[in-house]
Amino acid sequence: MSRFPWPVPYGWFAVAWSAHVSRGGVVPYRAFGRDLVLWRDERGDAHVHDAYCPHLGAHLGHGGTVSDCELVCPFHGWQFDDSGRNTCIPYSERANGKARLRRYPVLERNGLVMAWYHPNDEPPMWDIPAVPEFGEAADWATPVCRYFTIDTAWQEMAENGVDAAHFRYVHGTAEVPILEEYTPDGFRSHMRSKQFFVTPRGNVEGRIDSDAWGPGFSVVRFSGIVDTMLLGCATPIDEDHCEMRFTFTVRRFADDRATTSVGEAAINEISRQLLEDKPIWEHKVFVDRPALADTDGPFLQFRQWAAQFYVDAT
Ligand code: FES
Ligand SMILES: [Fe+2]
């Protein structure tokens, strides 16, 4: 039984950092409440399929291999192409037209392999942008990756963004962010906030602005002390467990050593905040009708936005 009332949401979700899936590599993976296989063909394209071979059920992620651009089952050598179709049975003249592996659409952008999940296999309904700061932009440092798993549902983590008050109690910040704007916008949403940081040089005004493309991809810009960009990618392992992939970059200083040390401090601070939230998320319950303060953030608007990503499997 899930602790939460929601199924796995649909959308684009990060399943790996590109650099972690080598050409010809095959790895087992679990997400969306399903056992999956993630592989990269000899051309360099990444693929995600359901893990179990339709022949006799071997897990293709454990011992499967890549032959050219096809995935080969370790049990009896059947081959599957990138659409999941069986193309060859090595001990038969004919392939089996009915043997199909479910395929998940994949895109690779911003150093991430992302898969589209929809419980009813609907095709992708939006795209994921290339974020220039994570590409060729010369004034941004080499990205840094951090990975976490959290025993909670996606929505519980995502709600953190509109919860200004918890910053003081969970994260010990002297000042809480002031939410200037929260705008649900179809499958996207935009948040603009400012926050005062207490520094030895006095209070510095900073900003935290974030834009989401569905449940699995958010771009967050921190400015004020150090310009930092974060790709926050939550991926549901199942209804009540999530992965979180953080990819950071900071704007370069003239001096490389300063870039590294200041960047690390900023990245550690943001990562520490996630670890502070983790025990709250892992033990709380969902309150459907919360008793809110008049100064609490736009929880109900957020929840309405989140609700669009849930559909029952038919
Ligand atoms: S179980 Fe995969 S080829 Fe037999
Ligand atoms: Fe938090």
Side-chain angles (χ1 to χ4, degrees):
M1 253 317 264
S2 172
R3 277 162 62 205
F4 300 106
W6 314 289
V8 170
Y10 68 79
W12 284 108
F13 296 100
V15 297
W17 279 287
S18 294
H20 296 178
V21 194
S22 58
R23 214 171 264 242
V26 182
V27 287
Y29 182 63
R30 197 172 154 76
F32 322 135
R34 309 183 66 92
D35 291 314
L36 304 170
V37 56
L38 168 58
W39 59 288
R40 193 186 289 286
D41 66 32
E42 300 292 355
R43 274 193 311 257
D45 295 332
H47 308 283
V48 176
H49 288 101
D50 272 349
Y52 296 113
C53 182
H55 178 218
L56 285 163
H59 191 305
L60 289 150
H62 292 278
T65 52
V66 173
S67 167
D68 193 11
C69 288
E70 305 207 331
L71 181 61
V72 185
C73 180
F75 204 1
H76 312 94
W78 288 32
Q79 282 182 225
F80 299 88
D81 68 11
D82 57 0
S83 73
R85 227 166 30 101
N86 171 233
T87 53
C88 167
I89 300 173
Y91 52 90
S92 165
E93 295 287 298
R94 278 182 294 151
N96 183 332
K98 286 205 287 270
R100 265 187 173 274
L101 281 175
R102 177 169 169 182
R103 155 195 177 264
Y104 299 80
V106 166
L107 62 77
E108 206 156 356
R109 216 151 281 165
N110 307 307
L112 291 157
V113 181
M114 301 190 74
W116 170 264
Y117 168 76
H118 188 289
N120 301 325
D121 231 352
E122 297 288 335
M125 297 172 191
W126 62 86
D127 199 9
I128 294 293
V131 183
E133 289 84 347
F134 291 88
E136 298 304 298
D139 48 343
W140 290 80
T142 307
V144 172
C145 304
R146 295 285 164 88
Y147 176 85
F148 309 88
T149 56
I150 297 134
D151 295 346
T152 191
W154 159 75
Q155 182 169 325
E156 290 280 20
M157 295 199 302
E159 194 166 87
N160 188 70
V162 292
D163 182 359
H166 91 287
F167 279 85
R168 185 169 288 145
Y169 304 99
V170 178
H171 305 310
T173 56
E175 300 289 338
V176 302
I178 300 158
L179 198 62
E180 295 172 334
E181 183 196 325
Y182 174 72
T183 317
D185 170 14
F187 60 83
R188 299 191 57 193
S189 72
H190 314 285
M191 203 164 67
R192 301 288 172 261
S193 66
K194 72 177 177 202
Q195 183 172 9
F196 289 97
F197 297 104
V198 181
T199 77
R201 290 172 291 131
N203 279 6
V204 175
E205 186 185 319
R207 301 198 53 79
I208 306 174
D209 296 323
S210 87
D211 297 283
W213 279 257
F217 185 77
S218 295
V219 180
V220 192
R221 287 163 204 274
F222 301 85
S223 58
I225 301 177
V226 199
D227 287 343
T228 306
M229 298 270 301
L230 163 64
L231 303 179
C233 297
T235 304
I237 298 169
D238 57 27
E239 287 90 345
D240 44 17
H241 299 84
C242 276
E243 297 181 314
M244 180 63 97
R245 285 183 182 77
F246 279 175
T247 312
F248 295 96
T249 181
V250 295
R251 193 191 292 279
R252 286 186 194 280
F253 293 83
D255 166 3
D256 274 354
R257 284 235 302 281
T259 306
T260 307
S261 67
V262 175
E264 262 175 22
I267 290 163
N268 287 341
E269 168 62 20
I270 298 163
S271 303
R272 181 183 62 82
Q273 291 200 2
L274 185 121
L275 293 175
E276 288 169 344
D277 286 317
K278 185 174 152 97
I280 302 269
W281 290 337
E282 293 193 335
H283 300 286
K284 75 183 289 299
V285 294
F286 172 66
V287 179
D288 189 21
R289 312 180 104 202
L292 296 175
D294 56 354
T295 45
D296 268 328
F299 284 86
L300 302 183
Q301 263 179 290
F302 163 76
R303 289 181 177 187
Q304 253 171 28
W305 178 77
Q308 72 181 306
F309 302 111
Y310 302 122
V311 292
D312 289 325
T314 53

